[in-house]
Amino acid sequence: LDGLLIGAELSGLASAPSVLVAAGPAQHVAYQTAIDTLDLGSRTRFLAPEEVALLAVRGQARLLDKLLK
């Protein structure tokens, strides 16, 4: 099911000038496969999967800091 959803999501971006993918470690390979299949590689940048995995935690920590000040 992930492959179908990712393929549908990315096919909607076929005419986009560039694509930035923020996929965690579990989804990274599926996104890379879909991007290769749709020939979007030359217009696609990936955030490092390890960094993406920490984005929610970092955002919540930043929000907490602002709320506590």
Side-chain angles (χ1 to χ4, degrees):
L1 184 59
D2 280 351
L4 289 173
L5 294 173
I6 290 169
E9 176 185 14
L10 291 176
S11 66
L13 298 173
S15 62
S18 63
V19 178
L20 176 62
V21 178
Q27 293 84 24
H28 182 81
V29 172
Y31 272 96
Q32 183 66 61
T33 300
I35 285 164
D36 292 344
T37 300
L38 295 169
D39 197 29
L40 296 173
S42 63
R43 298 180 287 143
T44 303
R45 289 187 9 223
F46 279 90
L47 295 178
E50 301 79 25
E51 291 294 320
V52 173
L54 298 174
L55 289 177
V57 173
R58 289 181 179 160
Q60 291 172 354
R62 191 166 188 175
L63 178 62
L64 182 61
D65 282 345
K66 288 185 182 235
L67 292 173
L68 294 177
K69 288 184 181 181

